[in-house]
């Protein structure tokens, strides 16, 4: 699939021309792309059922206000499945809505995945997956990422996206469905323009009271060269594996990955 970067880049300016909509706005939660921050600010006086909060599930999330209805099967990240695979369980939470999502620079996202996944300790249903004594070793980082990326199934299916809770699914597969059909109406970019673009989109849908909190593009815990590994620690083999799997994500940012 070839992605036209200009089409997605135009989303930055298109939302400024929106005046009014009759449909609800829904958020599609691409893993590690500001999803939890957006869900948290949507739980105010007029709660928006967004992202993971669209799915009434267990374990409950403190940041969510859940919609009415029955419970979805627990310990499944339903909100990390691209919208084209719904309805599931005879429900399509994205039906009759305009959908927005956030894109993140691919290398920054994958490094965030490493530190996020390696910090989880849900022993009962999501076993700890990393050697915590080696989280700052470049060799371990590269080996871990290569194994994770190469283990991902290539054939699209809802079950495939549940592997590793969708955290290694290319961002492009959330934006585009089969035959290059675009599944997301509005795309925001996790960069210096994010706060402004988010406010403009909320205003277009009459949700100006929803404000994103002070946003750190590096994530909840800032990574620094003194405390964390970074893109300079990715070796040639890791970059090659990453490029073969996520080339379309780089195209969304109108960039290419240079394999040293």
């Amino acid at each position: 699939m070839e992605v036209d970067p200009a089409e997605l880049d135009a989303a930055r300016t298109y939302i400024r021309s929106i005046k009014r909509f009759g449909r609800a706005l829904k958020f599609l939660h691409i893993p590690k792309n500001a999803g939890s921050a957006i869900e948290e600010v949507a739980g105010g006086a007029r709660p928006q059922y967004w992202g993971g909060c669209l799915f009434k599930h267990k374990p409950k999330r403190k940041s969510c206000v859940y919609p009415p209805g029955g419970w979805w099967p627990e310990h499944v990240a339903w909100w990390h499945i691209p919208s084209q695979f719904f309805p599931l369980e005879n429900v399509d939470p994205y039906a009759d809505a305009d959908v927005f999502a956030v894109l993140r620079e691919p290398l920054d996202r994958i490094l965030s995945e490493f530190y996020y996944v390696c910090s989880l300790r849900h022993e009962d249903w999501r076993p700890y997956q990393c050697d915590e004594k080696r989280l700052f070793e470049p060799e371990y980082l590269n080996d871990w990422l290569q194994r994770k990326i190469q283990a991902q199934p290539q054939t699209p299916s809802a079950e495939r996206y549940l592997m590793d809770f969708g955290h290694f699914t290319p961002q492009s597969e959330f934006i585009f469905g089969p035959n290059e059909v675009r599944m997301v109406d509005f795309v925001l970019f996790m960069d210096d323009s994010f706060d402004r673009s988010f406010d403009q989109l909320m205003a277009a849908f009459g949700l100006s009271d929803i404000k994103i909190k002070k946003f750190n593009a590096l994530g909840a815990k800032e990574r620094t060269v003194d405390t964390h590994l970074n893109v300079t620690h990715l070796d040639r083999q890791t970059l090659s594996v990453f490029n073969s799997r996520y080339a379309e994500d780089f195209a969304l940012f109108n960039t290419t990955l240079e394999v040293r």
Side-chain angles (χ1 to χ4, degrees):
M1 179 181 69
E2 293 185 2
V3 179
D4 181 1
E7 178 187 357
L8 285 178
D9 189 53
R12 298 173 185 265
T13 55
Y14 174 58
I15 60 173
R16 301 188 185 113
S17 67
I18 305 169
K19 300 301 182 184
R20 184 181 178 187
F21 287 90
R23 306 205 308 172
L25 181 67
K26 297 290 181 70
F27 171 57
L28 178 62
H29 185 148
I30 302 176
K32 299 310 298 170
N33 289 16
S36 296
I38 292 174
E39 289 165 0
E40 182 177 353
V41 300
R46 289 189 300 155
Q48 304 299 307
Y49 305 127
W50 279 353
C53 304
L54 275 172
F55 302 86
K56 193 175 180 181
H57 65 285
K58 296 179 180 179
K60 294 181 179 179
R61 302 175 69 179
K62 295 180 180 179
S63 61
C64 282
V65 177
Y66 291 110
W71 292 90
W72 287 70
E74 60 185 328
H75 299 318
V76 177
W78 301 102
W79 53 100
H80 288 174
I81 299 177
S83 59
Q84 60 262 31
F85 288 98
F86 289 88
L88 293 171
E89 301 288 321
N90 297 316
V91 177
D92 182 359
Y94 304 103
D96 301 319
D98 287 292
V99 178
F100 79 100
V102 178
L103 292 179
R104 184 174 188 172
E105 197 284 320
L107 288 180
D108 188 56
R109 179 181 182 239
I110 203 69
L111 284 169
S112 180
E113 294 287 4
F114 173 71
Y115 283 109
Y116 173 77
V117 172
C118 289
S119 69
L120 294 178
R121 290 175 174 79
H122 300 299
E123 299 291 351
D124 56 335
W125 59 282
R126 189 174 180 177
Y128 193 55
Q129 302 182 48
C130 306
D131 184 345
E132 61 183 355
K133 296 179 181 179
R134 303 189 64 193
L135 300 186
F136 302 98
E137 296 180 16
E139 181 181 359
Y140 182 73
L141 166 69
N142 284 280
D143 178 68
W144 190 91
L145 286 176
Q146 289 175 34
R147 286 187 288 106
K148 278 291 187 181
I149 294 170
Q150 291 174 330
Q152 304 301 307
Q154 299 299 307
T155 303
S157 68
E159 291 77 12
R160 166 198 161 187
Y161 292 106
L162 293 177
M163 182 175 181
D164 285 309
F165 293 82
H167 275 253
F168 293 88
T169 301
Q171 299 172 79
S172 59
E173 295 183 12
F174 288 92
I175 306 301
F176 294 99
N179 303 313
E180 302 185 30
V181 174
R182 182 165 165 171
M183 304 302 298
V184 174
D185 299 284
F186 306 102
V187 177
L188 307 182
F189 291 81
M190 197 168 161
D191 58 15
D192 292 340
S193 70
F194 178 76
D195 291 3
R196 183 174 65 257
S197 297
F198 183 86
D199 287 345
Q200 291 169 342
L201 183 60
M202 295 305 103
F205 281 85
L207 301 171
S208 296
D209 55 317
I210 297 179
K211 299 289 185 181
I212 199 72
K213 294 182 179 179
K214 181 65 177 177
F215 189 76
N216 181 352
L218 293 178
K221 295 181 179 179
E222 185 173 1
R223 301 194 306 270
T224 71
V225 295
D226 297 322
T227 61
H228 293 76
L229 300 175
N230 56 61
V231 295
T232 66
H233 295 106
L234 300 177
D235 62 25
R236 181 181 180 86
Q237 185 174 354
T238 299
L239 291 174
S240 179
V241 169
F242 190 75
N243 191 43
S244 66
R245 186 74 177 89
Y246 298 98
E248 291 173 2
D249 284 7
F250 285 99
L252 295 176
F253 273 78
N254 196 24
T255 60
T256 57
L257 175 61
E258 180 179 348
V259 180
R260 301 183 297 273

